[in-house]
Amino acid sequence: MAKILVTGGAGFIGSHTCLVLLDAGHELVVVDNLSNSSLASLNRVASLAGVAPASKAGPTDRLQFVEGEIRDTPCLEAIFQQAEAQGQPIDAVIHFAGLKAVGESVAEPLRYWDVNVHGTLSLLQVMANHGCHTFVFSSSATLYGYPDHVPIPETAAIQPINPYGYTKAAAERLLNDLATSAQELWRIACLRYFNPVGAHPSGQIGEDPLGIPNNLFPFVSQVAVGRRECLQVFGGDWPTPDGTCIRDYIHVMDLAEGHRAALDCLLEEPPQLLSLNLGSGRGISVLEVIQAFAEASERPIPHAIVSRRPGDAAITVADPAEALRRLGWQTQHSLQDICRDGWAWQSANPQGYASEP
Ligand code: NAD
Ligand code: UFG
């Protein structure tokens, strides 16, 4: 059992990972500024895990919540100090907090660099101050830009094509420099997610984007549930078998298990820096997603092919062999599982967490 600080733990991937970590027996402190999430997600995680609700948790509960900002160094200092004062220092940090919308990053590069890079720096500085050297970082396949070939191994060129991608590349660079500076101390995993989608099979927690979704899966599920009329398919003339883009969609519960496996590996093995793709190795086209979601929801998904979206690559698919070799981890869920669980969440919560206090 470890005591883990989870930044951004109220968000999509963080909430599912918190559930997996609680089920594995860990004790969690979540810090999140709720800029893109609500505490309802963590209360539902607590209920699924059978622990006290995050909103009412005291210092001895297994899921504690601090509404705070990762760039606020005194706030982070206070979290580490309080854990030490309780005789249970923070053993590891899983760092989800960050901004993730590609288009927004083009419009607001200062904010993206501030939160994603400065925020990560601030967190690492506080960790170093407190002798905590185990760190799991939410990186992204966006690092690879337009990949030279697929499936993409971790050795592929890091060549981001937008500010969001550059912030992830900069944070990975920082982590590499840090690991090099004190190889006997740091235990770091940079997990490069491909396309995280789906929801917990209970339908209690899932993805709840603010406003109009940028990403395919939440848009498709909102069309299925009647919140949006029609999906725009960005391009039908890509060099792929059906003309639509191919991605490596990974069930969020597989991703959450990947974090648990990475944390176990870091805690058990000698200090090291791991950079690993978390993907399935399976490429799925936009039209295949639409068909599978229509089958799972038993609803039509009205869609229209429109022009390509700037910045898209035709195909991105992970080579996940290294994660299997280093962590013994691989995805377990099919596209059908993803759509079934995504629909369970969307149909039970048509407005996401909006109805919660
Ligand atoms: P999310 O927006 O649902 O979760 C991020 C959480 O961080 C939110 O709860 C938000 O309120 C919080 N947050 C944001 N800025 C903060 C700050 N300054 N201080 C404290 N909390 C802050 O996003 P997600 O999909 O769960 O993504 C988690 C991480 O994974 C992000 O770093 C993202 O870049 C990365 N990632 C996501 C995807 C994806 O497609 N979802 C793909 C690759 C990488
Ligand atoms: N798409 C549509 N219509 C939509 C939305 C998306 O046709 O309304 C298409 C896109 O053109 C693309 C595919 O669906 O071909 C997937 O698009 P997403 O926006 O869901 O995902 P991306 O592959 O563009 O990017 C996502 C995250 C990035 C992350 C990347 C790799 O948004 O932050 O996965 O992890 F970096």
Side-chain angles (χ1 to χ4, degrees):
M1 196 280 281
K3 182 155 184 168
I4 305 162
L5 175 64
V6 184
T7 76
F12 171 44
I13 304 168
S15 56
H16 291 77
T17 305
C18 283
L19 180 55
V20 165
L21 295 172
L22 287 169
D23 286 346
H26 297 300
E27 188 171 319
L28 310 182
V29 181
V30 169
V31 60
D32 197 305
N33 66 4
L34 303 180
S35 59
N36 198 36
S37 56
S38 92
L39 196 46
S41 65
L42 282 180
N43 284 333
R44 292 193 185 181
V45 166
S47 149
L48 287 166
V51 303
S55 54
K56 298 192 182 122
T60 57
D61 285 308
R62 284 183 54 225
L63 176 59
Q64 295 168 33
F65 175 71
V66 176
E67 185 169 347
E69 161 61 59
I70 52 165
R71 291 163 294 173
D72 179 354
T73 308
C75 166
L76 298 179
E77 282 283 351
I79 292 171
F80 277 82
Q81 281 164 5
Q82 192 185 356
E84 285 158 10
Q86 288 162 2
Q88 272 197 304
I90 305 282
D91 298 304
V93 175
I94 304 186
H95 180 36
F96 295 105
L99 304 176
K100 62 169 183 175
V102 170
E104 200 178 64
S105 78
V106 176
E108 299 179 69
L110 289 175
R111 191 159 73 95
Y112 270 69
W113 277 84
D114 191 27
V115 173
N116 290 359
V117 181
H118 173 202
T120 302
L121 186 62
S122 137
L123 177 60
L124 289 164
Q125 183 64 64
V126 175
M127 288 177 64
N129 294 347
H130 290 266
C132 177
H133 298 105
T134 303
F135 190 73
V136 179
F137 176 60
S138 292
S139 191
S140 170
T142 196
L143 288 180
Y144 301 121
Y146 302 118
D148 299 327
H149 59 269
V150 287
I152 309 170
E154 288 83 355
T155 49
I158 304 293
Q159 46 191 14
I161 53 171
N162 53 60
Y164 168 64
Y166 278 109
T167 65
K168 291 292 179 186
E172 280 212 17
R173 181 68 256 163
L174 167 60
L175 291 166
N176 273 272
D177 291 348
L178 193 58
T180 304
S181 74
Q183 290 178 8
E184 70 291 359
L185 287 181
W186 288 93
R187 299 160 189 267
I188 295 173
C190 297
L191 303 181
R192 300 173 180 168
Y193 315 153
F194 278 67
N195 287 56
V197 291
H200 187 263
S202 66
Q204 288 289 301
I205 54 173
E207 186 170 14
D208 185 20
L210 288 177
I212 300 172
N214 294 309
N215 299 118
L216 179 64
F217 256 86
F219 205 107
V220 167
S221 53
Q222 290 190 9
V223 171
V225 84
R227 268 174 78 176
R228 319 241 162 238
E229 276 184 12
C230 181
L231 170 77
Q232 295 189 324
V233 176
F234 298 137
D237 57 352
W238 293 94
T240 60
D242 67 16
T244 63
C245 288
I246 290 179
R247 294 288 179 274
D248 185 336
Y249 296 99
I250 171 172
H251 195 298
V252 66
M253 293 307 294
D254 281 332
L255 195 55
E257 284 295 340
H259 288 76
R260 189 189 54 70
L263 185 72
D264 287 352
C265 174
L266 291 181
L267 292 172
E268 283 161 18
E269 292 187 5
Q272 61 183 321
L273 182 139
L274 291 167
S275 299
L276 297 173
N277 288 339
L278 294 188
S280 68
R282 162 195 66 198
I284 296 168
S285 75
V286 175
L287 292 181
E288 286 171 328
V289 167
I290 293 170
Q291 188 183 341
F293 210 93
E295 283 167 13
S297 62
E298 299 179 333
R299 309 232 175 150
I301 312 287
H303 58 279
I305 294 185
V306 300
S307 51
R308 293 181 180 188
R309 182 171 70 175
D312 273 343
I315 307 178
T316 58
V317 175
D319 177 346
E322 191 66 2
L324 178 60
R325 195 173 72 80
R326 301 305 301 265
L327 307 180
W329 171 92
Q330 60 187 338
T331 59
Q332 302 293 329
H333 292 92
S334 65
L335 174 62
Q336 285 65 35
D337 297 338
I338 287 170
C339 295
R340 180 199 62 214
D341 297 340
W343 179 241
W345 155 251
Q346 188 69 74
S347 55
N349 305 273
Q351 302 298 325
Y353 295 110
S355 55
E356 296 274 326

